[in-house]
Amino acid sequence: MTAVTVLLALLAALSNASASVLQRRAAVQEPDQGGGAGSALRRFGSMLRRPSWLAGAGLLALSSLLQAGALATGSLSLVQPLLAAELLFTLAVGSVVFRRRPEARTWLAFVALAGGLSLFLLAAAPSPGRTTARPGAWLLGGCGALGLVVLLVLAARPVKGASRAALLGLASAVTFATTAALLKEAVGRLGNGPAAMFGHWSLYATGAAGLVAFLLLQGALAAGSLTASQPALTLGDALTSVVLGWLLFAESIHLGLSLLPEAIGVALIGAGSIGLARASSAAGAWDATDPAASPGSATAVPRPPRR
């Protein structure tokens, strides 16, 4: 079942990455209408009519189904970190959609991030735990996740550009990880029959949390480049899921001698993060304009100012 779990998780990562790229394209096709909630709503309503945004929404739905299948056959601590492959899928798909290649430093930074997380997970070797969580554990885990998301959203309000995209991406990541944990809780009850799953609160909480995560993702995609939001989104999702897997489902990771490769993995993640911060494409170079618009066209979207 591990091979099936890995395959489903990687397909979910590919679907997620493609969705992010397509919806980012829809976002850059919309002109800046100024600040304010009204302008944001009008901009979002306009994006809803774009084929690339609708295609991205369909891929997000497909990704949810693939993720549910992976969670039904594997642990939260294994499935969600595998979605870090979304980092490389984003660059590959984005290079095709935006017809521009990110610079070499950006590729190397993404490889360091993904490689570091892979090394950490191989050394940590998350073990399966319970299929469902104890009710008291959900009170602690849910309140903790909610508090963290609120803090990240508040921190994102006064900033713009890459910083805002990263903060909202991280808030979205925590919410997506919580959504995955709720989904695992729901599918874990399917063994007792469909009535047990549809009669439990976790299935409906999954939909509510998923909607919040989706809205936060749209804010991150509109705020700045994919190279700013995507690392926070995928890595934050993975690491939050490891914590929730331990807290809710009694999943554990290896310690002792495994601490050395785990530390190396964390160091690679840090090096990749620094590389992304220094890369010029993190300010919004390769995915900041509509690839269908000519350089002198009125529909071209100007690059956001560097911060």
Side-chain angles (χ1 to χ4, degrees):
M1 297 299 286
T2 301
V4 174
T5 300
V6 171
L7 176 61
L8 290 173
L10 290 177
L11 288 174
L14 175 59
S15 183
N16 257 335
S18 301
S20 294
V21 170
L22 289 173
Q23 292 190 332
R24 171 62 180 167
R25 179 179 181 180
V28 302
Q29 288 174 329
E30 290 298 320
D32 188 3
Q33 300 180 13
S39 298
L41 287 175
R42 287 193 297 272
R43 191 169 188 265
F44 183 64
S46 181
M47 283 193 297
L48 288 176
R49 297 191 293 271
R50 292 194 176 273
S52 58
W53 191 94
L54 294 174
L59 286 170
L60 279 177
L62 174 61
S63 175
S64 298
L65 294 176
L66 293 167
Q67 183 183 23
L71 289 170
T73 59
S75 67
L76 180 69
S77 299
L78 173 64
V79 172
Q80 291 303 106
L82 280 172
L83 295 183
E86 184 179 342
L87 291 166
L88 300 180
F89 289 147
T90 297
L91 284 183
V93 177
S95 297
V96 175
V97 171
F98 285 96
R99 303 173 191 171
R100 292 187 65 182
R101 293 183 180 180
E103 60 186 13
R105 283 193 301 172
T106 304
W107 279 101
L108 290 175
F110 269 99
V111 169
L113 281 167
L117 185 59
S118 298
L119 177 60
F120 173 81
L121 290 174
L122 286 173
S127 64
R130 296 188 296 265
T131 55
T132 58
R134 296 189 178 94
W138 268 115
L139 182 62
L140 177 61
C143 290
L146 176 61
L148 180 56
V149 169
V150 170
L151 289 175
L152 288 169
V153 171
L154 291 176
R157 291 187 65 181
V159 297
K160 295 181 180 180
S163 298
R164 182 178 177 85
L167 287 168
L168 290 179
L170 184 55
S172 178
V174 175
T175 315
F176 271 122
T178 305
T179 303
L182 288 165
L183 181 59
K184 180 172 179 60
E185 177 79 24
V187 298
R189 297 177 180 277
L190 191 57
N192 297 324
M197 182 179 73
F198 286 100
H200 195 259
W201 61 268
S202 59
L203 181 63
Y204 308 101
T206 299
L211 177 60
V212 173
F214 176 77
L215 294 175
L216 288 171
L217 175 62
Q218 300 311 304
L221 293 174
S225 170
L226 287 169
T227 47
S229 61
Q230 206 68 10
L233 178 64
T234 54
L235 294 172
D237 187 346
L239 296 177
T240 303
S241 295
V242 170
V243 174
L244 289 177
W246 167 74
L247 181 63
L248 299 173
F249 304 106
E251 299 170 359
S252 61
I253 62 174
H254 289 174
L255 299 175
L257 294 177
S258 299
L259 286 174
L260 178 58
E262 289 170 8
I264 295 174
V266 170
L268 284 173
I269 292 173
S273 299
I274 294 172
L276 278 176
R278 292 181 176 176
S280 62
S281 57
W286 68 280
D287 66 339
T289 56
D290 179 9
S294 60
S297 171
T299 59
V301 180
R303 295 180 183 178
R306 297 183 183 274
R307 296 182 62 83

